[in-house]
Amino acid sequence: MSQESPSPERHPSKLNQQVAPDLADEGDAAVLARLGYKQELRRNFTMIEVFGIAFSIMGLLPSIASTLSYSIPAGPVGMVWGWFIPSGFIFIVGLAMISRDPVTIMLSLLTVCLVRRSWFCDANQWRALLVDTLLRIPKVEESIELPYGFSLMFLSVIVIAKDGNYTPSNGAIYGVFLVCVICHGILASTMSKIMGKLQTVFVVMNFVLIFATIIALPIGKKMRNDGHYIFAQTENLTTWPTGWAFMLAWLSPIWTIGGFDSCVHMSEEASNATKAVPYGILMSIGSCWFFGFILLIVIAACINPDLSAVYPGQFGQPMAQIYFDALGKHGALGLMSLLFIVQFLMGLSILVAASRQAWAFSRDGALPFSRFFRPISEKFGFIPLRAIWGCVTLAAFLGLLSLIASAAAQALFSLAVAGNNVAWGTPILCRVVYGQKKFKPGPVYTGDFWSPIIAYTAVVFLVFGVVLSMIPVGGPNPTPDTMNYTVVINCAVWGGALGYYFIDARKWFTGPKITLNLDDLSESQERALAEEGLDIQPVKSQSIGGGEVTDFPDKTV
């Protein structure tokens, strides 16, 4: 199942003289050069820390707590098997993504690879811009959703403390959300030098919360549910058929484990990225698959069999009700406090990943105001400072949807599922349909026979996930308050991206830019670029963010 790919040539060249010695070693800089980019960010994330940022963004227990509204209506079967089965499919998606040469899953995920292939982008740059948009929007959305979830959890602690005699207003929810987002921006800007080390702390905090819950709930709950109830009891609190209610429970792991692609967005700051990124992806998915399954078995064993009393519950948060029923007021306050702390750390990690993704797109000129967001701040530790605060500002404005109605906010959050699935599925499908002849196996490769099967399985599952994300959860006859407006917001975003291209971006957007000085390339680097199918002769230069970059020509060699 595993196959080592040849290491990049480590020939000294003038290019390596352009890389500050404290940014990256020669090998990582050479790998990045194959994409036409010079090293600009400091590589201070190890493989464990790359895994850590994805695992902390997923924030297993806080994410499960936030998505119990999808699984509880289907009963214990929806909670337990509705986690285990789709998690296996998500692992297949991860395998399909990393089977490609890892150099092409870095940066803008697989978009960079695709837009430089004539089979994807001969005079069709609009496809590249659309995939770029679908990759960027989910991370920005998640940088809103996690602080929003934090505000709900934080306020639920106050509700518990007041014995349910307090109902937070939309204004209070937004106020807590705004403070959280600003704190994330300050921490992401000032703690860059230790951000990699902090991911290890965040992982430890996640596991402390997981094991505290696994141990405390069975001890506190005197009357636990039996094995038949946990693994075979079905319920249906919706007006959908029972089978479809079970399928909607899949949204819990789809939403939770969707943060695994954060490993990719940190690839330019990872040491030995060609292995750290793919293994980080598999480790984060596998960890959430296993520990999530154990957690949900424990939760199903300790939950009140009268599920209508748990969802939505008297505290507005099903997990708070589960803790309260098993551990009483003080136990619930303690674990919910730990829960919102971990949720806060998740939000910080997602802002770091979102800002790197936004910076990578601005480097290619794919964002509005790319020249503004392009510069790197050396003063703050070689980080995209402007991109960080651009994400913070956008999150603060979009968070205002919480003042309108919860349905509007939930529709924005579901955008992450649909956007991610389309953005991941497009390059996987294009690889097996159009690009198999140019395929280069990565360090983890499933073989010529299984690789296409895994890829097609992943695409089918991703398409199904898009459909699920747009279905009203409560039933086929939703009211304006229970309607799922995801389809409306998705069409607006996708249509807006295409409109942006045809109205303005088509005049200047031609795909990724070369940031290397072509005159300083060695012969080995020119050969590496040619092997990637790139014509290294520049056609024109543009100034982005104060530095000259060169467009890739439309044709490949």
Side-chain angles (χ1 to χ4, degrees):
M1 295 289 288
S2 179
Q3 171 177 313
E4 294 291 330
S5 62
S7 302
E9 295 185 59
R10 301 193 176 212
H11 295 296
S13 68
K14 296 179 183 179
L15 168 68
N16 296 319
Q17 298 172 15
Q18 301 171 9
V19 181
D22 61 339
L23 290 185
D25 65 23
E26 183 179 337
D28 282 321
V31 169
L32 191 58
R34 292 180 60 189
L35 290 174
Y37 294 126
K38 67 179 180 181
Q39 186 70 45
E40 299 181 67
L41 302 176
R42 178 180 285 118
R43 292 185 180 271
N44 54 7
F45 282 74
T46 65
M47 181 188 296
I48 295 299
E49 290 163 354
V50 170
F51 154 76
I53 197 165
F55 191 77
S56 60
I57 285 173
M58 293 177 188
L60 185 58
L61 186 50
S63 294
I64 288 176
S66 299
T67 56
L68 282 174
S69 57
Y70 295 125
S71 55
I72 286 180
V77 165
M79 295 167 62
V80 174
W81 298 115
W83 178 273
F84 186 84
I85 295 172
S87 295
F89 282 110
I90 296 170
F91 193 84
I92 290 174
V93 172
L95 282 174
M97 288 173 58
I98 67 171
S99 289
R100 186 64 167 87
D101 180 354
V103 99
T104 57
I105 68 168
M106 295 195 292
L107 312 174
S108 320
L109 200 57
L110 291 170
T111 308
V112 172
C113 165
L114 294 177
V115 296
R116 294 178 179 176
R117 300 292 189 263
S118 58
W119 47 267
F120 185 75
C121 199
D122 272 348
N124 281 316
Q125 290 90 351
W126 64 269
R127 298 182 187 179
L129 189 64
L130 179 60
V131 174
D132 270 355
T133 301
L134 295 177
L135 285 167
R136 183 172 69 253
I137 290 298
K139 280 292 168 284
V140 174
E141 175 275 324
E142 288 166 9
S143 67
I144 303 168
E145 183 170 4
L146 293 178
Y148 183 80
F150 165 83
S151 66
L152 295 179
M153 292 179 186
F154 179 84
L155 291 170
S156 72
V157 171
I158 299 177
V159 175
I160 294 173
K162 293 181 174 291
D163 299 316
N165 296 319
Y166 168 70
T167 302
S169 65
N170 288 339
I173 294 172
Y174 180 75
V176 176
F177 163 86
L178 185 60
V179 171
C180 178
V181 168
I182 293 173
C183 289
H184 285 159
I186 294 172
L187 294 174
S189 302
T190 58
M191 304 182 72
S192 62
K193 293 183 179 180
I194 62 170
M195 190 57 67
K197 304 299 181 186
L198 286 177
Q199 300 312 311
T200 304
V201 177
F202 296 173
V203 170
V204 171
M205 290 289 291
N206 270 278
F207 278 113
V208 167
L209 179 59
I210 290 170
F211 288 117
T213 299
I214 290 174
I215 295 171
L217 280 183
I219 293 175
K221 188 72 171 180
K222 303 304 181 183
M223 298 293 294
R224 292 183 289 274
N225 302 311
D226 60 21
H228 180 273
Y229 180 87
I230 296 170
F231 296 105
Q233 180 70 29
T234 60
E235 300 282 350
N236 189 358
L237 302 185
T238 75
T239 56
W240 290 110
T242 301
W244 189 246
F246 172 75
M247 301 310 299
L248 288 172
W250 288 29
L251 285 170
S252 178
I254 289 174
W255 185 89
T256 299
I257 307 180
F260 70 84
D261 70 328
S262 301
C263 297
V264 176
H265 308 312
M266 301 306 297
S267 58
E268 285 194 67
E269 295 177 74
S271 299
N272 193 17
T274 54
K275 290 188 177 179
V277 172
Y279 286 128
I281 288 174
L282 294 184
M283 288 164 61
S284 58
I285 297 174
S287 297
C288 283
W289 183 6
F290 175 75
F291 287 106
F293 185 58
I294 300 301
L295 265 172
L296 284 161
I297 290 174
V298 172
I299 291 173
C302 300
I303 198 170
N304 184 345
D306 181 8
L307 297 180
S308 60
V310 178
Y311 173 67
Q314 61 175 317
F315 306 118
Q317 222 295 333
M319 198 67 210
Q321 188 67 56
I322 293 170
Y323 282 145
F324 185 86
D325 291 342
L327 305 172
K329 178 179 177 179
H330 296 294
L333 285 172
L335 284 176
M336 283 302 297
S337 297
L338 184 57
L339 196 66
F340 76 66
I341 290 172
V342 173
Q343 181 85 0
F344 179 87
L345 301 179
M346 291 167 58
L348 175 58
S349 295
I350 194 63
L351 177 61
V352 172
S355 64
R356 273 50 172 185
Q357 185 189 54
W359 174 79
F361 290 141
S362 67
R363 174 176 55 188
D364 290 333
L367 284 182
F369 311 110
S370 287
R371 289 181 176 86
F372 176 79
F373 292 114
R374 171 69 175 81
I376 292 293
S377 171
E378 296 185 16
K379 179 180 178 181
F380 284 85
F382 293 93
I383 62 171
L385 186 67
R386 294 183 181 181
I388 289 173
W389 286 97
C391 291
V392 168
T393 303
L394 184 59
F397 277 108
L398 292 180
L400 291 170
L401 283 172
S402 64
L403 296 176
I404 300 174
S406 59
Q410 291 300 323
L412 177 65
F413 302 154
S414 296
L415 180 62
V417 173
N420 273 335
N421 283 18
V422 175
W424 298 337
T426 300
I428 293 172
L429 182 63
C430 287
R431 189 258 291 176
V432 292
V433 174
Y434 303 109
Q436 195 66 25
K437 293 181 180 179
K438 299 180 180 180
F439 175 76
K440 294 181 180 179
V444 179
Y445 182 48
T446 51
D448 293 339
F449 176 78
W450 286 106
S451 182
I453 295 175
I454 288 173
Y456 283 118
T457 303
V459 170
V460 171
F461 173 74
L462 291 171
V463 171
F464 182 62
V466 173
V467 174
L468 280 181
S469 71
M470 298 187 182
I471 299 294
V473 176
N477 299 302
T479 66
D481 291 333
T482 60
M483 175 60 185
N484 187 342
Y485 295 98
T486 304
V487 64
V488 177
I489 293 184
N490 268 280
C491 289
V493 171
W494 299 352
L498 294 176
Y500 173 54
Y501 174 78
F502 287 111
I503 293 173
D504 181 54
R506 65 183 177 84
K507 302 173 185 176
W508 48 264
F509 180 73
T510 57
K513 318 295 182 189
I514 288 180
T515 60
L516 293 172
N517 186 341
L518 298 186
D519 294 332
D520 290 343
L521 290 177
S522 67
E523 291 183 4
S524 63
Q525 290 159 353
E526 290 179 0
R527 286 196 301 270
L529 289 172
E531 288 172 1
E532 286 297 302
L534 306 178
D535 183 347
I536 63 173
Q537 298 300 319
V539 292
K540 64 178 180 178
S541 295
Q542 295 182 6
S543 174
I544 292 183
E548 279 219 343
V549 293
T550 305
D551 288 351
F552 275 109
D554 293 332
K555 303 265 185 189
T556 58
V557 295

mmCIF file of all heavy atoms in Angstrom, residues 411-412 414-415 418 466-467 469-472 483-495:
data_model
loop_
_atom_site.group_PDB
_atom_site.id
_atom_site.type_symbol
_atom_site.label_atom_id
_atom_site.label_comp_id
_atom_site.label_asym_id
_atom_site.label_seq_id
_atom_site.Cartn_x
_atom_site.Cartn_y
_atom_site.Cartn_z
ATOM 1 N N ALA A 411 -27.387 27.975 7.121
ATOM 2 C CA ALA A 411 -27.184 27.827 5.676
ATOM 3 C C ALA A 411 -25.769 28.212 5.291
ATOM 4 O O ALA A 411 -25.133 27.564 4.452
ATOM 5 C CB ALA A 411 -28.191 28.683 4.914
ATOM 6 N N LEU A 412 -25.249 29.267 5.904
ATOM 7 C CA LEU A 412 -23.875 29.672 5.632
ATOM 8 C C LEU A 412 -22.901 28.577 6.061
ATOM 9 O O LEU A 412 -21.927 28.282 5.370
ATOM 10 C CB LEU A 412 -23.571 30.973 6.376
ATOM 11 C CG LEU A 412 -22.132 31.501 6.252
ATOM 12 C CD1 LEU A 412 -21.825 31.883 4.813
ATOM 13 C CD2 LEU A 412 -21.926 32.690 7.179
ATOM 14 N N SER A 414 -23.483 25.326 6.256
ATOM 15 C CA SER A 414 -23.577 24.155 5.381
ATOM 16 C C SER A 414 -22.834 24.373 4.073
ATOM 17 O O SER A 414 -22.550 23.412 3.343
ATOM 18 C CB SER A 414 -25.052 23.829 5.082
ATOM 19 O OG SER A 414 -25.736 23.468 6.268
ATOM 20 N N LEU A 415 -22.525 25.632 3.774
ATOM 21 C CA LEU A 415 -21.777 25.945 2.564
ATOM 22 C C LEU A 415 -20.427 25.249 2.564
ATOM 23 O O LEU A 415 -19.896 24.891 1.503
ATOM 24 C CB LEU A 415 -21.594 27.462 2.459
ATOM 25 C CG LEU A 415 -20.824 28.011 1.259
ATOM 26 C CD1 LEU A 415 -21.542 27.666 -0.029
ATOM 27 C CD2 LEU A 415 -20.671 29.522 1.376
ATOM 28 N N ALA A 418 -20.756 21.600 1.002
ATOM 29 C CA ALA A 418 -20.944 21.596 -0.446
ATOM 30 C C ALA A 418 -19.712 22.119 -1.166
ATOM 31 O O ALA A 418 -19.259 21.542 -2.170
ATOM 32 C CB ALA A 418 -22.175 22.432 -0.816
ATOM 33 N N VAL A 466 -22.913 16.495 -1.104
ATOM 34 C CA VAL A 466 -23.455 17.780 -1.550
ATOM 35 C C VAL A 466 -24.975 17.756 -1.489
ATOM 36 O O VAL A 466 -25.618 18.713 -1.034
ATOM 37 C CB VAL A 466 -22.979 18.104 -2.982
ATOM 38 C CG1 VAL A 466 -23.685 19.350 -3.522
ATOM 39 C CG2 VAL A 466 -21.468 18.324 -3.000
ATOM 40 N N VAL A 467 -25.572 16.658 -1.950
ATOM 41 C CA VAL A 467 -27.035 16.524 -1.910
ATOM 42 C C VAL A 467 -27.524 16.582 -0.470
ATOM 43 O O VAL A 467 -28.493 17.295 -0.148
ATOM 44 C CB VAL A 467 -27.476 15.208 -2.582
ATOM 45 C CG1 VAL A 467 -28.985 14.999 -2.422
ATOM 46 C CG2 VAL A 467 -27.103 15.210 -4.060
ATOM 47 N N SER A 469 -26.224 17.989 2.116
ATOM 48 C CA SER A 469 -26.057 19.296 2.748
ATOM 49 C C SER A 469 -27.157 20.281 2.378
ATOM 50 O O SER A 469 -27.322 21.296 3.044
ATOM 51 C CB SER A 469 -24.699 19.889 2.364
ATOM 52 O OG SER A 469 -24.671 20.284 1.002
ATOM 53 N N MET A 470 -27.906 19.967 1.325
ATOM 54 C CA MET A 470 -28.937 20.899 0.857
ATOM 55 C C MET A 470 -30.347 20.444 1.197
ATOM 56 O O MET A 470 -31.319 21.108 0.829
ATOM 57 C CB MET A 470 -28.795 21.087 -0.660
ATOM 58 C CG MET A 470 -27.473 21.692 -1.056
ATOM 59 S SD MET A 470 -27.377 22.108 -2.803
ATOM 60 C CE MET A 470 -25.697 22.725 -2.914
ATOM 61 N N ILE A 471 -30.485 19.340 1.923
ATOM 62 C CA ILE A 471 -31.802 18.813 2.282
ATOM 63 C C ILE A 471 -32.249 19.395 3.618
ATOM 64 O O ILE A 471 -31.472 19.420 4.576
ATOM 65 C CB ILE A 471 -31.751 17.264 2.392
ATOM 66 C CG1 ILE A 471 -31.342 16.649 1.059
ATOM 67 C CG2 ILE A 471 -33.079 16.706 2.866
ATOM 68 C CD1 ILE A 471 -32.353 16.860 -0.048
ATOM 69 N N PRO A 472 -33.497 19.863 3.722
ATOM 70 C CA PRO A 472 -34.006 20.302 5.038
ATOM 71 C C PRO A 472 -33.980 19.146 6.031
ATOM 72 O O PRO A 472 -34.475 18.053 5.734
ATOM 73 C CB PRO A 472 -35.450 20.739 4.732
ATOM 74 C CG PRO A 472 -35.470 21.031 3.265
ATOM 75 C CD PRO A 472 -34.482 20.072 2.647
ATOM 76 N N MET A 483 -36.349 25.913 6.934
ATOM 77 C CA MET A 483 -35.867 25.668 5.581
ATOM 78 C C MET A 483 -34.341 25.668 5.554
ATOM 79 O O MET A 483 -33.688 26.408 6.285
ATOM 80 C CB MET A 483 -36.404 26.748 4.633
ATOM 81 C CG MET A 483 -35.874 26.669 3.216
ATOM 82 S SD MET A 483 -36.297 25.088 2.433
ATOM 83 C CE MET A 483 -35.433 25.239 0.878
ATOM 84 N N ASN A 484 -33.776 24.822 4.703
ATOM 85 C CA ASN A 484 -32.332 24.791 4.488
ATOM 86 C C ASN A 484 -32.019 25.680 3.277
ATOM 87 O O ASN A 484 -32.297 25.310 2.135
ATOM 88 C CB ASN A 484 -31.859 23.353 4.236
ATOM 89 C CG ASN A 484 -30.347 23.236 4.166
ATOM 90 O OD1 ASN A 484 -29.651 24.221 3.976
ATOM 91 N ND2 ASN A 484 -29.843 22.028 4.309
ATOM 92 N N TYR A 485 -31.437 26.827 3.539
ATOM 93 C CA TYR A 485 -31.165 27.792 2.476
ATOM 94 C C TYR A 485 -29.780 27.608 1.860
ATOM 95 O O TYR A 485 -29.298 28.487 1.138
ATOM 96 C CB TYR A 485 -31.291 29.221 3.021
ATOM 97 C CG TYR A 485 -32.695 29.574 3.459
ATOM 98 C CD1 TYR A 485 -33.059 29.500 4.803
ATOM 99 C CD2 TYR A 485 -33.660 29.961 2.536
ATOM 100 C CE1 TYR A 485 -34.347 29.812 5.223
ATOM 101 C CE2 TYR A 485 -34.949 30.278 2.935
ATOM 102 C CZ TYR A 485 -35.287 30.206 4.283
ATOM 103 O OH TYR A 485 -36.562 30.524 4.685
ATOM 104 N N THR A 486 -29.155 26.462 2.113
ATOM 105 C CA THR A 486 -27.815 26.221 1.582
ATOM 106 C C THR A 486 -27.783 26.306 0.067
ATOM 107 O O THR A 486 -26.837 26.839 -0.525
ATOM 108 C CB THR A 486 -27.309 24.841 2.027
ATOM 109 O OG1 THR A 486 -27.350 24.758 3.443
ATOM 110 C CG2 THR A 486 -25.891 24.603 1.555
ATOM 111 N N VAL A 487 -28.803 25.765 -0.590
ATOM 112 C CA VAL A 487 -28.821 25.777 -2.054
ATOM 113 C C VAL A 487 -28.835 27.204 -2.580
ATOM 114 O O VAL A 487 -28.216 27.516 -3.609
ATOM 115 C CB VAL A 487 -30.028 24.966 -2.582
ATOM 116 C CG1 VAL A 487 -31.353 25.610 -2.154
ATOM 117 C CG2 VAL A 487 -29.958 24.833 -4.092
ATOM 118 N N VAL A 488 -29.523 28.098 -1.865
ATOM 119 C CA VAL A 488 -29.578 29.500 -2.293
ATOM 120 C C VAL A 488 -28.199 30.143 -2.161
ATOM 121 O O VAL A 488 -27.703 30.802 -3.094
ATOM 122 C CB VAL A 488 -30.618 30.272 -1.449
ATOM 123 C CG1 VAL A 488 -30.636 31.746 -1.848
ATOM 124 C CG2 VAL A 488 -31.995 29.652 -1.608
ATOM 125 N N ILE A 489 -27.562 29.951 -1.006
ATOM 126 C CA ILE A 489 -26.251 30.571 -0.784
ATOM 127 C C ILE A 489 -25.203 29.960 -1.700
ATOM 128 O O ILE A 489 -24.338 30.663 -2.240
ATOM 129 C CB ILE A 489 -25.845 30.428 0.696
ATOM 130 C CG1 ILE A 489 -26.790 31.263 1.574
ATOM 131 C CG2 ILE A 489 -24.408 30.854 0.922
ATOM 132 C CD1 ILE A 489 -26.433 31.273 3.036
ATOM 133 N N ASN A 490 -25.272 28.640 -1.928
ATOM 134 C CA ASN A 490 -24.323 28.010 -2.841
ATOM 135 C C ASN A 490 -24.447 28.560 -4.254
ATOM 136 O O ASN A 490 -23.435 28.866 -4.897
ATOM 137 C CB ASN A 490 -24.537 26.497 -2.862
ATOM 138 C CG ASN A 490 -23.684 25.771 -1.854
ATOM 139 O OD1 ASN A 490 -22.516 25.525 -2.069
ATOM 140 N ND2 ASN A 490 -24.279 25.459 -0.712
ATOM 141 N N CYS A 491 -25.659 28.671 -4.730
ATOM 142 C CA CYS A 491 -25.850 29.214 -6.078
ATOM 143 C C CYS A 491 -25.340 30.649 -6.163
ATOM 144 O O CYS A 491 -24.773 31.060 -7.189
ATOM 145 C CB CYS A 491 -27.325 29.142 -6.470
ATOM 146 S SG CYS A 491 -27.926 27.458 -6.783
ATOM 147 N N ALA A 492 -25.542 31.417 -5.081
ATOM 148 C CA ALA A 492 -25.064 32.797 -5.074
ATOM 149 C C ALA A 492 -23.536 32.843 -5.128
ATOM 150 O O ALA A 492 -22.947 33.646 -5.873
ATOM 151 C CB ALA A 492 -25.579 33.523 -3.831
ATOM 152 N N VAL A 493 -22.888 31.970 -4.357
ATOM 153 C CA VAL A 493 -21.417 31.956 -4.331
ATOM 154 C C VAL A 493 -20.855 31.449 -5.652
ATOM 155 O O VAL A 493 -19.958 32.059 -6.245
ATOM 156 C CB VAL A 493 -20.913 31.086 -3.165
ATOM 157 C CG1 VAL A 493 -19.407 30.876 -3.259
ATOM 158 C CG2 VAL A 493 -21.266 31.734 -1.835
ATOM 159 N N TRP A 494 -21.371 30.314 -6.131
ATOM 160 C CA TRP A 494 -20.857 29.752 -7.379
ATOM 161 C C TRP A 494 -21.148 30.689 -8.554
ATOM 162 O O TRP A 494 -20.293 30.925 -9.402
ATOM 163 C CB TRP A 494 -21.480 28.382 -7.633
ATOM 164 C CG TRP A 494 -21.179 27.381 -6.564
ATOM 165 C CD1 TRP A 494 -20.309 27.538 -5.505
ATOM 166 C CD2 TRP A 494 -21.731 26.071 -6.419
ATOM 167 N NE1 TRP A 494 -20.293 26.423 -4.713
ATOM 168 C CE2 TRP A 494 -21.152 25.499 -5.241
ATOM 169 C CE3 TRP A 494 -22.641 25.323 -7.134
ATOM 170 C CZ2 TRP A 494 -21.471 24.219 -4.800
ATOM 171 C CZ3 TRP A 494 -22.962 24.041 -6.687
ATOM 172 C CH2 TRP A 494 -22.389 23.497 -5.539
ATOM 173 N N GLY A 495 -22.376 31.215 -8.588
ATOM 174 C CA GLY A 495 -22.715 32.157 -9.653
ATOM 175 C C GLY A 495 -21.899 33.432 -9.563
ATOM 176 O O GLY A 495 -21.483 34.005 -10.578
#
